[in-house]
Amino acid sequence: MSKKQNNYNKLKSNLTQQVSEKIPTFNLKSFAHFDRPFSFGRYITKDKSSTKTKYVITPASQKKIKHQIDSLHSFLNSPEKIAKHAFYPFIAFDIKERRSNLINKIKYYKRKQLELSGIEKDKCIEALDNLKKKGIIKKRPIRYASHIDGYIYAHYASLLSEKYEKRIQELDLGDVILAYRKLPPVKINDKEISPNNCTMARDVFEEIKKSGNNCYALAFDIHSFYDYIDHKNLYAEWAKVLEADKLPDDHLNIYKSLTKYCYIDMKEVCYYVNKDKKKPCLQVNCVKCNKKIYKKIPKILFKNAENFRSFKDWYKKFYKDTEHKKFHRNEGFYAPKPYGIPQGSAMSALLSNIYMIPFDSAMKRLAEDVGGLYRRYCDDIMFICPHDEDIKEKIIDKIKEYIYERGENLEIHPIEKWDNYSKSQCYDFTDATKIKQQPLQYLGFYFDGEKVRIREGSLARYLRKSRRAVSAMKLNAKQKLKNMHKQKIQIQEKQKKLYRHHLYEQYTHLGKRNFITYAYRTFDTVFNTSVIKQQINNHFKRLNDYIKKADEELASLCNSLN
């Protein structure tokens, strides 16, 4: 990084620190949306008195920055203003994830359908058809808020979080709810460790060991959790956390923005931005530009409310013959019993926890009654119970009952005994042979009653990320070499190879903060095992192989340019 860039970034960092001191929940982001981002760029100018290029902040600019920070702080802490605030629509996109073990799943269902009969065979055929239809890519719908709306959600999430923590401590639920909370440090082998997936999984695995493997581990998954959160129950629990009979006007306005929300697809925004260009995207829902679509939208898309109104008028005319001419709506809001909140806002995760308080209370009481252990990580539920068929069936029935009480549209994925890939599973730890063939999966780990290891899918995903990073760096290096050749700049030997420091820092044990070092550190401390070293033994070698191939391509390009 050049001194000029370093000077600019230091000033920007100092300004961000100023805002964070006044507004702890502030997070500077410059993504594209319907309002202008909170930006410092226009306040940082070049120092005209200096002969060298140097960036400074003038006293006049500092005064404007202070005014902007004070205005935002005053707005966020004014319930009257929040109560009247008009929220922007969300922008929607899908996070695409590779579905792990797809080939193995297809083979499994093909083999299984020949062995099964009746209803089970029909379910197997249906699962196989769904798998083929959805393909290798899994989509997770995300809705993200505008800048000002995001600041409101983050600020109120912080206020609500304090009251939520107080309530769950009163109900003695602090140890059963794992996700989206700041948990206290745990002590393992006389060392204090910040809670993470390893420490959370360890509690469950230790409970199984304590029973002498004479237990069932019941893993449940809630189907499309955020999409089916019941509005009436959410309102009631939100009010209880605030210790009020009804939501205050400011909280009520936020509640309405998250239940009666509307959104616009990012592809539709992209089409609007590029419609007047010589070669615009020909399709409003273009699949080809999906990966790069975000780059086609300028960061400052709408400079003021008038720009947004123009977009709104265009949208209404363009989609006049569709059901979403006034933007896409939360379909669940218009159901007889409204449901659904967006996944992606700064409040959604906390609200999902608040919504589940009665469920968590009932499940903990059930665990105490049967001598078991209950844990919930968002929509993943884990229940360890004694090896008793009646107790197991009682738990399964009660979970379905309690979930139905939370919302009629909420569903637990059923446990299918024939299906090893079902999202909900029953693991019998008394059957040592079967549990070793199909070990318990929990928070990214496998456990067979004796050994713990990281899921192969997690390692494979990390390897794919490192491979993509090498490819991206290789493309940048090629472009740089071509530009140097065009400008007749002599290419040195070191420029014919990839810059390795960043790759090693991010994707190998040589870095300080990455998945590999986290795995080494936590496995040695938490699980006291060296299995992880065996699992990732070839990771460093594979990364070096990718880098070596990239270096060969760069050398070949240099030869062709000469």
Side-chain angles (χ1 to χ4, degrees):
M1 186 183 293
S2 65
K3 288 183 179 180
K4 179 174 72 174
Q5 191 68 30
N6 190 38
N7 166 237
Y8 181 88
N9 289 341
K10 190 175 283 187
L11 287 173
K12 197 173 177 181
S13 177
N14 289 339
L15 290 175
T16 305
Q17 184 65 28
Q18 283 184 41
V19 188
S20 298
E21 287 173 2
K22 187 90 174 181
I23 309 167
T25 56
F26 178 81
N27 191 3
L28 181 63
K29 292 182 179 179
S30 57
F31 53 76
H33 219 289
F34 300 122
D35 62 341
R36 293 189 67 161
F38 194 105
S39 174
F40 297 126
R42 60 182 179 273
Y43 299 119
I44 302 173
T45 56
K46 289 182 180 179
D47 186 2
K48 294 179 181 178
S49 63
S50 176
T51 54
K52 295 181 179 180
T53 304
K54 186 180 178 183
Y55 290 97
V56 294
I57 301 170
T58 63
S61 293
Q62 188 67 52
K63 192 175 180 181
K64 289 178 182 178
I65 292 167
K66 187 178 182 305
H67 174 72
Q68 192 175 357
I69 295 170
D70 289 343
S71 297
L72 181 60
H73 179 266
S74 174
F75 174 75
L76 293 175
N77 289 280
S78 172
E80 297 80 14
K81 290 180 180 178
I82 301 298
K84 295 176 182 178
H85 177 71
F87 287 82
Y88 283 100
F90 289 86
I91 289 182
F93 68 97
D94 292 332
I95 289 181
K96 295 186 176 181
E97 300 172 343
R98 180 171 171 154
R99 294 162 68 89
S100 60
N101 265 339
L102 182 71
I103 296 172
N104 290 341
K105 287 181 184 179
I106 290 174
K107 286 180 179 177
Y108 173 81
Y109 287 129
K110 281 183 176 178
R111 185 177 71 252
K112 209 70 183 173
Q113 70 179 347
L114 300 175
E115 301 172 4
L116 300 171
S117 60
I119 296 173
E120 288 185 343
K121 183 173 183 177
D122 294 337
K123 287 181 179 179
C124 182
I125 293 171
E126 184 182 354
L128 181 60
D129 291 341
N130 287 336
L131 205 59
K132 289 179 178 178
K133 186 178 179 181
K134 290 177 181 177
I136 198 169
I137 301 300
K138 177 184 177 181
K139 293 181 181 179
R140 187 154 56 93
I142 296 295
R143 311 326 183 195
Y144 72 100
S146 67
H147 298 280
I148 187 63
D149 296 350
Y151 298 142
I152 294 171
Y153 291 141
H155 179 68
Y156 273 77
S158 177
L159 297 177
L160 206 54
S161 180
E162 293 177 13
K163 295 182 180 295
Y164 168 70
E165 287 296 327
K166 180 184 174 184
R167 179 157 171 74
I168 63 172
Q169 294 307 326
E170 289 172 354
L171 297 170
D172 195 24
L173 297 174
D175 58 341
V176 303
I177 305 160
L178 306 179
Y180 312 126
R181 294 176 56 222
K182 189 175 181 180
L183 299 169
V186 293
K187 201 167 185 178
I188 298 174
N189 300 328
D190 296 327
K191 289 184 180 179
E192 279 201 346
I193 302 173
S194 297
N196 53 47
N197 282 16
C198 273
T199 59
M200 295 172 192
R202 182 180 183 271
D203 287 345
V204 171
F205 301 157
E206 288 297 315
E207 183 69 19
I208 293 169
K209 287 180 180 178
K210 195 163 68 175
S211 73
N213 288 2
N214 187 30
C215 64
Y216 284 117
L218 303 171
F220 301 94
D221 182 84
I222 305 173
H223 174 65
S224 299
F225 181 40
Y226 287 93
D227 294 337
Y228 294 108
I229 286 177
D230 185 89
H231 291 174
K232 185 179 178 181
N233 287 335
L234 175 62
Y235 183 98
E237 292 307 315
W238 193 333
K240 283 180 185 177
V241 166
L242 294 175
E243 298 178 347
D245 294 329
K246 62 178 184 177
L247 293 181
D249 291 343
D250 52 336
H251 284 263
L252 180 62
N253 194 28
I254 295 171
Y255 166 81
K256 288 178 179 177
S257 76
L258 291 168
T259 52
K260 195 181 178 180
Y261 71 90
C262 61
Y263 64 92
I264 297 148
D265 195 292
M266 188 181 282
K267 293 179 182 179
E268 295 168 351
V269 181
C270 179
Y271 183 82
Y272 172 76
V273 172
N274 296 288
K275 62 183 170 53
D276 296 327
K277 291 187 177 181
K278 291 181 180 179
K279 292 183 179 180
C281 181
L282 299 177
Q283 301 176 40
V284 178
N285 294 319
C286 178
V287 177
K288 291 181 181 178
C289 68
N290 188 52
K291 287 185 178 179
K292 298 180 180 179
I293 197 165
Y294 190 81
K295 295 179 181 178
K296 295 188 178 184
I297 303 175
K299 288 182 179 178
I300 302 179
L301 179 57
F302 298 101
K303 296 182 180 179
N304 49 49
E306 188 179 337
N307 293 148
F308 177 68
R309 283 193 291 270
S310 298
F311 168 77
K312 197 173 179 181
D313 292 339
W314 170 85
Y315 195 97
K316 192 173 182 179
K317 290 176 184 177
F318 194 88
Y319 293 102
K320 63 182 179 180
D321 298 325
T322 67
E323 294 179 357
H324 60 91
K325 62 183 178 182
K326 293 184 179 179
F327 306 143
H328 301 271
R329 305 277 172 173
N330 171 23
E331 294 178 4
F333 182 81
Y334 302 97
K337 292 186 177 181
Y339 57 83
I341 64 172
Q343 186 174 351
S345 82
M347 288 193 76
S348 298
L350 174 62
L351 291 178
S352 71
N353 273 347
I354 290 172
Y355 172 75
M356 293 292 279
I357 288 175
F359 178 84
D360 293 326
S361 297
M363 291 301 295
K364 184 171 185 185
R365 287 196 300 271
L366 177 62
E368 290 170 351
D369 290 344
V370 301
L373 178 84
Y374 163 69
R375 294 289 185 268
R376 182 178 64 82
Y377 192 100
C378 190
D379 57 353
D380 289 328
I381 298 165
M382 177 58 64
F383 206 112
I384 310 299
C385 70
H387 192 270
D388 184 296
E389 196 67 26
D390 292 335
I391 291 177
K392 183 188 82 172
E393 292 302 322
K394 178 183 177 181
I395 291 166
I396 293 172
D397 291 340
K398 286 293 183 182
I399 282 183
K400 290 177 182 176
E401 179 188 326
Y402 296 150
I403 278 291
Y404 187 78
E405 286 176 2
R406 284 290 74 213
E408 292 181 9
N409 296 291
L410 281 180
E411 288 183 9
I412 291 281
H413 284 283
I415 294 176
E416 302 288 358
K417 293 181 180 179
W418 60 269
D419 189 359
N420 290 348
Y421 288 100
S422 174
K423 289 188 176 181
S424 295
Q425 291 284 348
C426 173
Y427 300 93
D428 184 352
F429 275 86
T430 62
D431 190 342
T433 304
K434 188 176 180 181
I435 205 68
K436 287 189 182 298
Q437 292 173 350
Q438 188 190 356
L440 167 64
Q441 294 187 48
Y442 188 57
L443 299 182
F445 301 100
Y446 284 128
F447 179 63
D448 63 5
E450 295 177 6
K451 295 180 181 177
V452 181
R453 70 179 195 274
I454 291 181
R455 285 181 61 220
E456 282 75 9
S458 301
L459 291 169
R461 184 163 57 249
Y462 195 70
L463 187 62
R464 284 196 298 273
K465 282 184 180 178
S466 65
R467 188 167 62 226
R468 284 197 295 267
V470 172
S471 297
M473 197 170 280
K474 178 183 68 178
L475 290 174
N476 289 335
K478 282 185 175 181
Q479 190 59 49
K480 185 178 178 181
L481 290 172
K482 288 176 183 177
N483 292 338
M484 289 175 71
H485 177 72
K486 195 180 289 184
Q487 297 170 21
K488 297 182 179 179
I489 299 172
Q490 186 176 0
I491 298 173
Q492 300 177 10
E493 283 300 316
K494 65 178 183 179
Q495 292 166 330
K496 296 178 183 179
K497 294 182 178 181
L498 286 188
Y499 182 62
R500 287 157 165 72
H501 180 80
H502 174 74
L503 294 170
Y504 287 154
E505 184 72 26
Q506 291 291 321
Y507 300 104
T508 73
H509 63 282
L510 300 175
K512 292 181 180 178
R513 292 179 64 86
N514 61 52
F515 177 77
I516 300 295
T517 52
Y518 152 78
Y520 270 128
R521 185 172 61 252
T522 51
F523 255 65
D524 285 343
T525 308
V526 179
F527 295 122
N528 193 24
T529 176
S530 60
V531 173
I532 178 62
K533 293 179 182 178
Q534 299 168 15
Q535 283 189 275
I536 62 175
N537 191 35
N538 291 324
H539 181 80
F540 188 76
K541 183 178 179 299
R542 286 184 179 181
L543 180 63
N544 275 326
D545 288 341
Y546 297 145
I547 293 172
K548 187 177 178 181
K549 287 180 181 178
D551 287 345
E552 290 172 358
E553 288 187 38
L554 294 179
S556 177
L557 175 64
C558 290
N559 291 333
S560 65
L561 292 174
N562 294 332

Coordinates of all heavy atoms in Angstrom, one line a residue, residues 502-539:
H502 N -0.6 -12.6 1.0 CA -2.0 -12.6 1.3 C -2.7 -14.0 1.3 O -3.5 -14.3 2.2 CB -2.7 -11.7 0.3 CG -4.2 -11.6 0.4 ND1 -4.9 -11.0 1.5 CD2 -5.2 -12.3 -0.3 CE1 -6.2 -11.1 1.4 NE2 -6.4 -11.9 0.3
L503 N -2.3 -14.8 0.4 CA -2.9 -16.1 0.3 C -2.5 -17.0 1.5 O -3.4 -17.7 2.0 CB -2.4 -16.8 -1.0 CG -2.9 -16.2 -2.3 CD1 -2.2 -16.8 -3.5 CD2 -4.4 -16.4 -2.5
Y504 N -1.2 -16.9 1.9 CA -0.8 -17.7 3.0 C -1.5 -17.2 4.3 O -1.8 -17.9 5.2 CB 0.7 -17.6 3.2 CG 1.5 -18.5 2.2 CD1 2.8 -18.1 1.8 CD2 0.9 -19.6 1.6 CE1 3.5 -18.9 0.8 CE2 1.6 -20.3 0.6 CZ 2.9 -20.0 0.3 OH 3.5 -20.7 -0.7
E505 N -1.6 -15.8 4.4 CA -2.2 -15.2 5.6 C -3.7 -15.7 5.7 O -4.2 -15.9 6.8 CB -2.2 -13.7 5.4 CG -2.7 -12.9 6.6 CD -1.8 -13.0 7.9 OE1 -0.5 -13.3 7.7 OE2 -2.3 -12.9 9.0
Q506 N -4.4 -15.8 4.6 CA -5.9 -16.0 4.6 C -6.2 -17.5 4.6 O -7.2 -17.9 5.2 CB -6.5 -15.4 3.4 CG -6.6 -13.9 3.4 CD -7.5 -13.4 4.5 OE1 -8.6 -13.9 4.8 NE2 -7.1 -12.3 5.2
Y507 N -5.3 -18.4 4.0 CA -5.8 -19.7 3.8 C -4.8 -20.8 4.2 O -5.0 -22.0 3.9 CB -6.0 -19.9 2.2 CG -7.0 -19.0 1.7 CD1 -6.7 -17.8 1.0 CD2 -8.4 -19.2 2.0 CE1 -7.7 -17.0 0.5 CE2 -9.4 -18.4 1.5 CZ -9.0 -17.2 0.8 OH -10.0 -16.4 0.3
T508 N -3.8 -20.5 5.1 CA -3.0 -21.5 5.6 C -2.7 -21.3 7.1 O -3.1 -20.3 7.7 CB -1.6 -21.6 4.9 OG1 -0.8 -20.4 5.3 CG2 -1.7 -21.5 3.4
H509 N -2.0 -22.3 7.7 CA -1.7 -22.2 9.1 C -0.7 -21.1 9.5 O -0.4 -20.8 10.6 CB -1.1 -23.6 9.6 CG 0.2 -23.9 8.9 ND1 0.3 -24.4 7.6 CD2 1.5 -23.8 9.3 CE1 1.5 -24.6 7.2 NE2 2.3 -24.2 8.2
L510 N -0.1 -20.5 8.4 CA 0.9 -19.4 8.6 C 0.1 -18.1 9.0 O 0.8 -17.2 9.5 CB 1.7 -19.2 7.4 CG 2.5 -20.4 6.9 CD1 3.2 -20.1 5.6 CD2 3.6 -20.8 8.0
G511 N -1.2 -18.0 8.7 CA -1.9 -16.8 9.1 C -2.3 -16.8 10.5 O -2.1 -17.8 11.3
K512 N -2.8 -15.6 11.0 CA -3.1 -15.5 12.4 C -4.6 -15.7 12.7 O -5.0 -16.3 13.7 CB -2.7 -14.1 12.9 CG -1.2 -13.9 13.0 CD -0.9 -12.5 13.5 CE 0.6 -12.3 13.5 NZ 1.0 -10.9 14.0
R513 N -5.4 -15.3 11.7 CA -6.9 -15.4 11.9 C -7.5 -15.9 10.7 O -7.9 -15.2 9.8 CB -7.5 -14.0 12.3 CG -7.1 -13.5 13.6 CD -7.7 -12.1 13.9 NE -9.1 -12.2 14.0 CZ -9.8 -12.5 15.1 NH1 -9.1 -12.8 16.2 NH2 -11.1 -12.5 15.1
N514 N -7.7 -17.2 10.6 CA -8.4 -17.9 9.5 C -8.9 -19.2 9.9 O -8.7 -19.6 11.1 CB -7.5 -18.0 8.2 CG -6.3 -18.9 8.5 OD1 -6.4 -20.0 8.9 ND2 -5.1 -18.4 8.1
F515 N -9.7 -19.9 9.1 CA -10.3 -21.1 9.4 C -9.4 -22.2 9.9 O -9.6 -22.9 10.9 CB -11.1 -21.6 8.2 CG -11.8 -22.9 8.4 CD1 -13.0 -23.0 9.2 CD2 -11.3 -24.1 7.9 CE1 -13.6 -24.2 9.4 CE2 -11.9 -25.3 8.1 CZ -13.1 -25.4 8.9
I516 N -8.2 -22.3 9.2 CA -7.2 -23.3 9.6 C -6.6 -23.1 11.0 O -6.6 -24.0 11.8 CB -6.1 -23.4 8.5 CG1 -6.7 -23.7 7.1 CG2 -5.0 -24.4 8.9 CD1 -7.3 -25.0 7.0
T517 N -6.2 -21.8 11.3 CA -5.6 -21.6 12.6 C -6.7 -21.7 13.7 O -6.4 -22.1 14.8 CB -5.0 -20.1 12.6 OG1 -6.0 -19.2 12.1 CG2 -3.8 -20.1 11.7
Y518 N -7.9 -21.3 13.4 CA -9.0 -21.4 14.3 C -9.2 -22.9 14.6 O -9.4 -23.3 15.8 CB -10.3 -20.9 13.7 CG -11.6 -21.5 14.2 CD1 -12.1 -21.2 15.5 CD2 -12.3 -22.4 13.4 CE1 -13.3 -21.8 15.9 CE2 -13.5 -23.0 13.9 CZ -13.9 -22.7 15.1 OH -15.1 -23.3 15.6
A519 N -9.2 -23.8 13.6 CA -9.4 -25.2 13.8 C -8.2 -25.8 14.6 O -8.5 -26.6 15.6 CB -9.4 -25.9 12.4
Y520 N -7.0 -25.4 14.3 CA -5.8 -25.9 15.1 C -6.0 -25.5 16.5 O -5.8 -26.4 17.4 CB -4.5 -25.3 14.5 CG -3.9 -26.1 13.4 CD1 -3.5 -25.5 12.2 CD2 -3.6 -27.5 13.6 CE1 -2.9 -26.3 11.2 CE2 -3.0 -28.2 12.6 CZ -2.6 -27.6 11.4 OH -2.0 -28.3 10.4
R521 N -6.2 -24.3 16.8 CA -6.2 -23.7 18.1 C -7.3 -24.3 19.0 O -7.1 -24.8 20.1 CB -6.4 -22.2 18.1 CG -6.3 -21.5 19.4 CD -6.2 -20.0 19.2 NE -7.4 -19.5 18.5 CZ -7.5 -19.0 17.3 NH1 -6.4 -19.0 16.5 NH2 -8.6 -18.5 16.8
T522 N -8.6 -24.3 18.4 CA -9.7 -24.8 19.2 C -9.7 -26.3 19.4 O -10.1 -26.8 20.5 CB -11.0 -24.3 18.6 OG1 -11.0 -24.7 17.2 CG2 -11.2 -22.8 18.7
F523 N -9.2 -27.0 18.4 CA -9.2 -28.5 18.5 C -8.2 -28.9 19.6 O -8.5 -29.8 20.4 CB -8.9 -29.1 17.2 CG -10.1 -29.7 16.5 CD1 -11.1 -28.9 16.1 CD2 -10.2 -31.1 16.3 CE1 -12.2 -29.5 15.5 CE2 -11.3 -31.7 15.7 CZ -12.3 -30.8 15.3
D524 N -7.1 -28.3 19.6 CA -6.1 -28.6 20.6 C -6.5 -28.3 22.0 O -6.3 -29.1 23.0 CB -4.8 -27.9 20.3 CG -4.0 -28.5 19.1 OD1 -4.4 -29.6 18.7 OD2 -3.1 -27.8 18.5
T525 N -7.2 -27.1 22.1 CA -7.6 -26.7 23.5 C -8.9 -27.3 23.9 O -9.0 -27.8 25.0 CB -7.8 -25.1 23.5 OG1 -6.6 -24.6 23.0 CG2 -8.0 -24.6 24.9
V526 N -9.9 -27.3 23.0 CA -11.3 -27.7 23.4 C -11.4 -29.2 23.4 O -12.0 -29.8 24.3 CB -12.3 -27.0 22.5 CG1 -13.7 -27.5 22.8 CG2 -12.2 -25.5 22.5
F527 N -11.0 -29.8 22.3 CA -11.2 -31.3 22.2 C -10.0 -32.1 22.5 O -10.1 -33.3 22.6 CB -11.7 -31.6 20.7 CG -13.0 -31.0 20.4 CD1 -13.2 -30.2 19.3 CD2 -14.1 -31.3 21.1 CE1 -14.4 -29.6 19.0 CE2 -15.4 -30.8 20.8 CZ -15.5 -29.9 19.8
N528 N -8.8 -31.4 22.6 CA -7.6 -32.1 23.0 C -7.3 -33.3 22.1 O -7.1 -34.5 22.5 CB -7.7 -32.6 24.5 CG -6.3 -33.1 25.0 OD1 -5.3 -32.6 24.5 ND2 -6.3 -33.9 26.0
T529 N -7.4 -33.0 20.8 CA -7.2 -34.1 19.8 C -6.4 -33.5 18.6 O -6.5 -32.3 18.3 CB -8.5 -34.7 19.3 OG1 -8.2 -35.6 18.2 CG2 -9.4 -33.6 18.7
S530 N -5.7 -34.4 17.9 CA -4.9 -34.0 16.8 C -5.5 -34.4 15.4 O -4.9 -34.4 14.4 CB -3.4 -34.5 16.9 OG -3.5 -36.0 16.9
V531 N -6.8 -34.8 15.5 CA -7.5 -35.3 14.3 C -7.5 -34.2 13.2 O -7.3 -34.5 12.0 CB -8.9 -35.7 14.6 CG1 -9.7 -36.0 13.3 CG2 -8.9 -36.9 15.5
I532 N -7.6 -32.9 13.6 CA -7.7 -31.8 12.6 C -6.4 -31.8 11.8 O -6.5 -31.5 10.6 CB -7.9 -30.5 13.3 CG1 -7.9 -29.3 12.3 CG2 -6.9 -30.2 14.4 CD1 -9.0 -29.4 11.3
K533 N -5.3 -32.1 12.4 CA -4.0 -32.0 11.6 C -4.0 -33.1 10.5 O -3.4 -32.9 9.5 CB -2.8 -32.2 12.6 CG -2.7 -31.0 13.5 CD -1.5 -31.2 14.5 CE -1.4 -30.1 15.5 NZ -0.3 -30.2 16.5
Q534 N -4.6 -34.2 10.8 CA -4.7 -35.3 9.8 C -5.6 -34.9 8.7 O -5.4 -35.2 7.5 CB -5.1 -36.6 10.5 CG -4.2 -37.1 11.6 CD -4.8 -38.2 12.4 OE1 -5.8 -38.8 12.0 NE2 -4.2 -38.5 13.5
Q535 N -6.7 -34.2 9.1 CA -7.7 -33.8 8.1 C -7.2 -32.8 7.1 O -7.6 -32.8 5.9 CB -9.0 -33.3 8.7 CG -9.9 -34.4 9.3 CD -11.2 -33.8 9.8 OE1 -11.3 -33.3 10.9 NE2 -12.2 -33.9 8.9
I536 N -6.4 -31.8 7.6 CA -6.0 -30.7 6.7 C -4.5 -30.8 6.3 O -3.9 -29.9 5.9 CB -6.3 -29.3 7.4 CG1 -5.4 -29.2 8.6 CG2 -7.7 -29.1 7.6 CD1 -5.5 -27.8 9.3
N537 N -4.0 -32.0 6.4 CA -2.6 -32.3 6.1 C -2.2 -31.9 4.7 O -1.1 -31.3 4.5 CB -2.3 -33.8 6.4 CG -0.8 -34.0 6.3 OD1 0.0 -33.2 6.8 ND2 -0.4 -35.2 5.8
N538 N -3.1 -32.1 3.7 CA -2.8 -31.8 2.3 C -3.2 -30.4 1.9 O -3.0 -30.1 0.7 CB -3.4 -32.9 1.4 CG -2.8 -34.2 1.6 OD1 -1.6 -34.3 1.8 ND2 -3.6 -35.3 1.6
H539 N -3.8 -29.6 2.8 CA -4.4 -28.4 2.4 C -3.3 -27.4 1.9 O -3.4 -26.8 0.8 CB -5.1 -27.7 3.5 CG -5.8 -26.4 3.2 ND1 -6.9 -26.3 2.5 CD2 -5.3 -25.1 3.4 CE1 -7.2 -25.0 2.3 NE2 -6.3 -24.3 2.9

